[in-house]
Amino acid sequence: MAAHPSSKDNSANSLRKIWFDPNVRALVFQIIVVIGVIGFFYYIISNALFNLEQRGITTGFGFMNQTAGFGIIQSLVEYDESHTFGRTFVVGLLNTILISILGIIFATILGFIMGVARLSSNWLISKVATVYIETMRNIPLLLQIFFWYFAVLRALPSPRQSAHIGEAVFLNVRGLYMPSPVMEAGSNIVVFAFIAAIIGSFIIAKWAKKRQMATGQPFPVFSVSAGLIVLLPLLAFFVMGMPISLDYPALKGFNFQGGMVVIPELAALLVALTTYTAAFIAEIVRSGILAVSKGQSEAAESLGLTRTQALKLVIIPQAMRVIIPPLTSQYLNLTKNSSLATAIGYPDLVSVFMGTTLNQTGQAIEVIALTMAVYLTISITTSILMNIYNKKMALVER
């Protein structure tokens, strides 16, 4: 008579089946990894808190309300030595955002120009673009920053021997001095008119595109938009009695007073970030254009389009679907590379907050955590915006 399997054998078989189930094993391994990660961070945090307590260092963000006591050479908001460390954080953050936005704009423009130029049928233009791209891509960014700051801008004349355009613009070793606008009563109307003109230009561009798709007739969007952006604020300016005047810089003592100044640290960093990142963007643009089928160019020529029209209306719109993903990476790299500003003293977040503020307060954990959170937030925001634009440019299947 055959023996019946025992209950222990059944339990063992059931456990074996459960263990060898891929879904169960995946869940178990995930739980183990999560527990390990939580344990690791718990150990790190508890160890840090213990060491801080042993050294008598307080934790928390109370230091943000303490008086900073040091000056900053560039601030987009009101700031002096009497403000708090919280204000230094804001100043550094705004300076980081400023250099990132300006760098992205100029690098994109220069990168597209160089990318198209490298594919030019003109031998000289193509070779000049090639030399630029290969040179800039293969020189470390930090060396380029040092070159523009020490070799170029530090060689400019002193304030008394400034190069100048009339009595309005002055260039010297301390920066580029220009007239600054002085806003008086009624100037807000002019600003609102300018904003309304920009919004109106986007609306006109959208309407013109729909009109061209429906009728095939182009509309002079650029001319109309440019006229609107110039004439509407100008009309508001005169109607409100010219409420905006200019404050001109003037040499008083050993330096210029009044007006606005572009400090050499900002100029050197912006030029270096722009030229360096533009070289990579140029290659992205070139590869995107080459990814478009040659038949598209031939079809555009058969329709009577010039090479410029074909590039603008046929090639570039299709190439953008290839260009946008790697272009996003270059924008993120530019933002993170802006932290090299501390090497020449540009007051970005790393220099002002993670440098001077950290040295004066000793709150290393809080300062570094806030700085990391800022760069993470900027990078994620940039990625989200570019992903939205990428979806807008993607092919829509019928």
Side-chain angles (χ1 to χ4, degrees), residues 181-192 236-245:
V182 178
M183 313 298 258
E184 301 172 0
S187 60
N188 57 337
I189 302 299
V190 180
V191 174
F192 290 150
F237 176 76
F238 286 111
V239 169
M240 298 305 297
M242 297 185 291
I244 302 177
S245 58

Side-chain angles (χ1 to χ4, degrees), residues 242-260:
M242 297 185 291
I244 302 177
S245 58
L246 294 177
D247 178 27
Y248 290 88
L251 183 62
K252 296 180 181 179
F254 296 101
N255 203 358
F256 282 87
Q257 302 293 329
M260 60 185 296

Side-chain angles (χ1 to χ4, degrees), residues 182-223:
V182 178
M183 313 298 258
E184 301 172 0
S187 60
N188 57 337
I189 302 299
V190 180
V191 174
F192 290 150
F194 178 71
I195 296 174
I198 294 177
I199 296 174
S201 298
F202 281 104
I203 295 174
I204 290 173
K206 192 171 183 179
W207 168 82
K209 184 177 181 180
K210 290 183 178 180
R211 177 177 179 267
Q212 185 171 357
M213 293 293 292
T215 65
Q217 298 179 355
F219 185 81
V221 177
F222 179 79
S223 302

Side-chain angles (χ1 to χ4, degrees), residues 82-265:
S82 64
H83 283 89
T84 63
F85 289 118
R87 180 55 67 95
T88 66
F89 171 77
V90 174
V91 171
L93 173 61
L94 292 178
N95 287 340
T96 295
I97 293 174
L98 173 66
I99 191 64
S100 299
I101 292 176
L102 291 178
I104 286 173
I105 293 173
F106 291 131
T108 302
I109 295 172
L110 181 59
F112 266 80
I113 292 173
M114 286 299 171
V116 173
R118 190 168 184 181
L119 295 173
S120 173
S121 57
N122 185 296
W123 183 88
L124 180 60
I125 294 177
S126 176
K127 294 306 177 184
V128 168
T130 301
V131 170
Y132 164 80
I133 292 170
E134 295 303 327
T135 301
M136 292 301 174
R137 284 200 311 168
N138 292 290
I139 297 178
L141 176 57
L142 186 59
L143 290 182
Q144 295 190 39
I145 293 174
F146 285 156
F147 169 78
W148 289 108
Y149 185 67
F150 292 108
V152 178
L153 297 182
R154 282 298 175 185
L156 292 174
S158 64
R160 291 186 180 276
Q161 284 78 42
S162 298
H164 60 90
I165 301 176
E167 296 298 323
V169 180
F170 301 87
L171 177 64
N172 56 62
V173 71
R174 296 182 181 175
L176 177 64
Y177 293 84
M178 301 175 291
S180 62
V182 178
M183 313 298 258
E184 301 172 0
S187 60
N188 57 337
I189 302 299
V190 180
V191 174
F192 290 150
F194 178 71
I195 296 174
I198 294 177
I199 296 174
S201 298
F202 281 104
I203 295 174
I204 290 173
K206 192 171 183 179
W207 168 82
K209 184 177 181 180
K210 290 183 178 180
R211 177 177 179 267
Q212 185 171 357
M213 293 293 292
T215 65
Q217 298 179 355
F219 185 81
V221 177
F222 179 79
S223 302
V224 174
S225 298
L228 182 63
I229 292 174
V230 172
L231 295 178
L232 185 59
L234 195 62
L235 177 63
F237 176 76
F238 286 111
V239 169
M240 298 305 297
M242 297 185 291
I244 302 177
S245 58
L246 294 177
D247 178 27
Y248 290 88
L251 183 62
K252 296 180 181 179
F254 296 101
N255 203 358
F256 282 87
Q257 302 293 329
M260 60 185 296
V261 58
V262 178
I263 60 176
E265 292 80 7

Side-chain angles (χ1 to χ4, degrees), residues 67-78:
T67 302
F70 62 90
I72 300 176
I73 59 175
Q74 174 183 295
S75 176
L76 301 180
V77 294
E78 183 182 356

